[in-house]
Amino acid sequence: MKSDAVKKGMQTAPQRSLFNALGLTEEELQKPLVGIVSSYNEIVPGHMNIDKIVEAVKMGVAMAGGTPIVFPAIAVCDGIAMGHQGMKYSLVTRDLIADSTECMAMAHAFDALVMVPNCDKNVPGLLMAAARVNVPTIFVSGGPMLAGHVQGHKTSLSSMFEAVGAHAAGKLDEEGVNEYVNKACPTCGSCSGMYTANSMNCLTEVLGMGLPGNGTIPAVYSERLKLAKHAGMKVMEMLEKNICPRDIMTKDAIINALTVDMALGCSTNSMLHLPAIAHEIGFDFDIAYANEISEKTPNLCHLAPAGPTYMEDLNEAGGVYAVMHELDKKGLLNKDCITVTGKTVGENIAGCEIRNPEVIRPIDNPYSVTGGLAVLKGNLAPDGSVVKRSAVVAEMMVHEGPARVFESEEDAIAAIKGGKIVEGDVVVIRYEGPKGGPGMREMLNPTSAIAGMGLGSSVALITDGRFSGASRGASIGHVSPEAAVGGPIALIEEGDIIQIDIPGLSLNVKLSDEELAKRKEKWQPKEPKVTTGYLARYAKMVTSGNRGAILEK
């Protein structure tokens, strides 16, 4: 066992004295040491129940003959961080989580790991750490929130942000906003639509790193405690068989994840996290894969914010495995990939039929014949940009309009709420990329303000920042290269005509190459917004959005 390095032989007597100080018995030290990475905290609603999940995991590990030992991982609540300086600290935690978990796992010679994440960055961060440490590892998330209910309609966090936009437009009074405040997010768990947290927890199932139900069983269901116990038991079986993350998270598994991403209509943030996870296993993931896979993968789900269904509905309809089983009818998955169950993808999904065709469309009756995400390229985004096309209304699939240019998210929000954005405009928010932000802030406030003010079918937004999974509409993010390194988005001027063609996979500004070159010669880099602390170090090391905002070694 790997842990023998800290508990066997005379040379480990000092370590054993410290285990003694922890209250561990000789009997416990004879068993494998299983690290349980807990992202429990009291500030993130998706994490407030994780203490109970962790206790269930510990029981499962102990029942199967292991010694469970808990250590923490941090997590930022994107909703609370949204719209202020706090959002600069969201994406950057992905690498902090991966680094710190790697440090803890390697320093203490754990034989196996159980990862208990839930929200946006700590799911991919822990997947990255799992690939690095490469001891038998399984994931069990805290689970999704139940949908809220306002005036007979299901709601979620995106409804809340759009209510603020509706108030700014005079369409909803303060009492109406407060009703959303009290009812939109009714339970613990990751926010109830197909936002980033739920996207990544579902894709963890597809990757083979979590048991069925990991992404969809609601946080408040007792079934999730049973899932956690089974995860604790299963990791001991993985240890016995020596099934490790790099056996599971292969190139084929990541392509499977991207395929199911298209069918589910996941958050655009998956196009940051899948490349980062791929990077950890040595797979150079080009975001252009998205278009190749999207061309042959139908979109089967319209979960919030794209449609009126929520994670609880997906769970009842058969969950992720039912979606995978449907995709397999057209041979779209690699079924030979091994998973934490000890079985292959094909064995796992056999017989997992759809239980509600209104939530998961059959393969021969999809919402669209192409997938939920698209990568757009052109003279405005030579290295690519990302849009959640399953959440774009038909009339905005092709759009041409004048650029309304803003140097920060705050300036754009003020203009939108001040009534200065009109039908046909293309809002451009720049210097919010990985380096320029720094930290590549999510733009849920401006997209929700646009939707809440009734401009969602007539106004587009493009940015070198990124979007929450709760964003909808013609919201095009990850524009690369970003403004901070002199990308074309830095050269746009007020009134330039922006051409968006989502079916044609293009994003252009109506300017000649000569004019762009002339503007590039005059361009001067801006002074960094942050010059001290972790963000300053991050800005120096981070790559562009099209590379998953990974850090250069």
Side-chain angles (χ1 to χ4, degrees):
M1 289 189 291
K2 188 174 180 179
S3 62
D4 287 350
V6 294
K7 65 187 188 183
K8 295 286 187 182
M10 183 55 66
Q11 73 277 7
T12 68
Q15 285 94 332
R16 292 201 304 276
S17 74
L18 294 169
F19 285 127
N20 181 68
L22 287 168
L24 290 177
T25 64
E26 186 63 34
E27 291 83 358
E28 286 172 301
L29 291 179
Q30 293 298 320
K31 299 174 182 179
L33 302 184
V34 180
I36 301 174
V37 187
S38 169
S39 61
Y40 168 76
N41 62 54
E42 295 183 342
I43 188 64
V44 184
H47 294 228
M48 61 180 284
N49 65 318
I50 279 178
D51 56 342
K52 295 178 177 61
I53 304 292
V54 166
E55 287 304 312
V57 170
K58 287 173 69 176
M59 186 174 291
V61 169
M63 287 167 62
T67 298
I69 301 174
V70 180
F71 65 89
I74 64 168
V76 163
C77 176
D78 279 27
I80 294 173
M82 196 73 65
H84 61 99
Q85 290 295 98
M87 182 43 74
K88 294 180 185 291
Y89 286 89
S90 172
L91 178 61
V92 305
T93 63
R94 184 186 70 186
D95 296 274
L96 276 177
I97 291 159
D99 293 347
S100 59
T101 303
E102 174 193 357
C103 291
M104 288 293 287
M106 299 303 289
H108 301 104
F110 287 108
D111 296 300
L113 297 168
V114 183
M115 308 292 199
V116 191
N118 209 25
C119 289
D120 295 24
K121 309 311 165 307
N122 73 330
V123 180
L126 291 180
L127 285 165
M128 290 160 68
R132 289 183 201 171
V133 177
N134 204 37
V135 297
T137 302
I138 193 168
F139 278 64
V140 55
S141 79
M145 185 183 290
L146 292 178
H149 293 268
V150 176
Q151 297 175 8
H153 298 285
K154 284 186 175 181
T155 60
S156 61
L157 185 65
S158 54
S159 312
M160 185 68 256
F161 277 87
E162 290 178 18
V164 175
H167 179 265
K171 297 180 178 181
L172 189 66
D173 61 18
E174 188 173 349
E175 185 178 343
V177 172
N178 285 333
E179 184 176 9
Y180 277 93
V181 168
N182 291 314
K183 295 180 179 178
C185 298
T187 71
C188 63
S190 48
C191 296
S192 56
M194 188 53 81
Y195 310 146
T196 307
N198 292 326
S199 295
M200 294 310 301
N201 282 322
C202 287
L203 296 185
T204 297
E205 276 188 61
V206 185
L207 285 168
M209 291 296 292
L211 295 174
N214 177 72
T216 59
I217 297 171
V220 295
Y221 283 13
S222 298
E223 186 67 25
R224 183 152 291 276
L225 297 177
K226 293 165 66 177
L227 181 74
K229 291 173 187 175
H230 284 131
M233 289 185 257
K234 186 61 68 173
V235 81
M236 297 305 296
E237 184 181 313
M238 294 172 67
L239 180 59
E240 184 181 341
K241 295 178 179 178
N242 195 32
I243 299 173
C244 295
R246 285 184 218 156
D247 301 320
I248 296 170
M249 289 192 287
T250 61
K251 177 179 178 179
D252 285 337
I254 288 172
I255 296 300
N256 277 350
L258 185 55
T259 300
V260 178
D261 184 323
M262 294 297 169
L264 283 171
C266 290
S267 163
T268 52
N269 283 315
S270 63
M271 295 305 292
L272 287 173
H273 301 321
L274 288 177
I277 295 161
H279 178 72
E280 297 293 341
I281 65 162
F283 170 27
D284 187 12
F285 183 106
D286 185 334
I287 62 169
Y289 288 136
N291 291 339
E292 181 185 327
I293 289 174
S294 181
E295 278 304 305
K296 57 185 179 184
T297 307
N299 177 227
L300 304 181
C301 300
H302 265 191
L303 293 142
T309 54
Y310 293 80
M311 295 306 295
E312 62 203 63
D313 302 312
L314 179 61
N315 187 61
E316 295 301 320
V320 173
Y321 276 17
V323 175
M324 295 174 74
H325 183 261
E326 204 63 21
L327 292 174
D328 183 50
K329 292 178 181 178
K330 285 199 172 181
L332 294 173
L333 298 175
N334 185 316
K335 294 194 292 182
D336 296 328
C337 296
I338 194 70
T339 71
V340 293
T341 65
K343 299 177 181 178
T344 64
V345 166
E347 291 173 309
N348 285 344
I349 66 174
C352 295
E353 300 288 348
I354 296 170
R355 296 198 290 263
N356 186 341
E358 298 300 313
V359 177
I360 305 171
R361 289 274 186 97
I363 196 83
D364 55 2
N365 182 34
Y367 282 100
S368 64
V369 294
T370 52
L373 298 180
V375 172
L376 314 184
K377 290 189 175 184
N379 69 354
L380 186 46
D383 293 338
S385 61
V386 182
V387 64
K388 188 172 182 175
R389 65 174 159 193
S390 60
V392 180
V393 294
E395 52 266 45
M396 289 299 289
M397 285 291 184
V398 177
H399 181 75
E400 184 172 304
R404 304 298 309 281
V405 183
F406 302 94
E407 309 295 289
S408 71
E409 177 187 7
E410 288 85 355
D411 291 347
I413 291 170
I416 295 165
K417 292 185 175 177
K420 296 178 181 178
I421 301 301
V422 299
E423 291 186 8
D425 283 349
V426 179
V427 176
V428 178
I429 305 177
R430 61 191 181 192
Y431 293 97
E432 291 286 8
K435 285 184 181 293
M440 203 178 187
R441 287 196 286 181
E442 285 186 343
M443 303 290 168
L444 180 55
N445 273 347
T447 58
S448 298
I450 287 169
M453 296 182 77
L455 296 171
S457 60
S458 60
V459 169
L461 192 154
I462 68 171
T463 180
D464 52 7
R466 61 194 179 92
F467 295 109
S468 164
S471 291
R472 62 187 176 98
S475 305
I476 302 166
H478 309 197
V479 171
S480 302
E482 63 174 292
V485 298
I489 191 171
L491 312 178
I492 296 173
E493 296 175 1
E494 188 81 7
D496 286 344
I497 301 301
I498 307 295
Q499 299 171 314
I500 299 165
D501 184 352
I502 295 173
L505 305 175
S506 69
L507 177 64
N508 290 287
V509 56
K510 208 170 181 179
L511 294 172
S512 66
D513 291 345
E514 291 76 18
E515 176 61 23
L516 283 171
K518 192 184 302 180
R519 292 186 187 183
K520 183 63 184 285
E521 284 179 17
K522 296 177 182 176
W523 177 80
Q524 294 292 325
K526 289 184 179 292
E527 288 295 318
K529 294 178 184 175
V530 180
T531 57
T532 60
Y534 179 62
L535 286 179
R537 277 183 282 136
Y538 180 88
K540 288 179 179 177
M541 298 173 69
V542 72
T543 60
S544 63
N546 70 298
R547 294 184 60 195
I550 59 172
L551 301 185
E552 291 283 15
K553 291 182 180 177

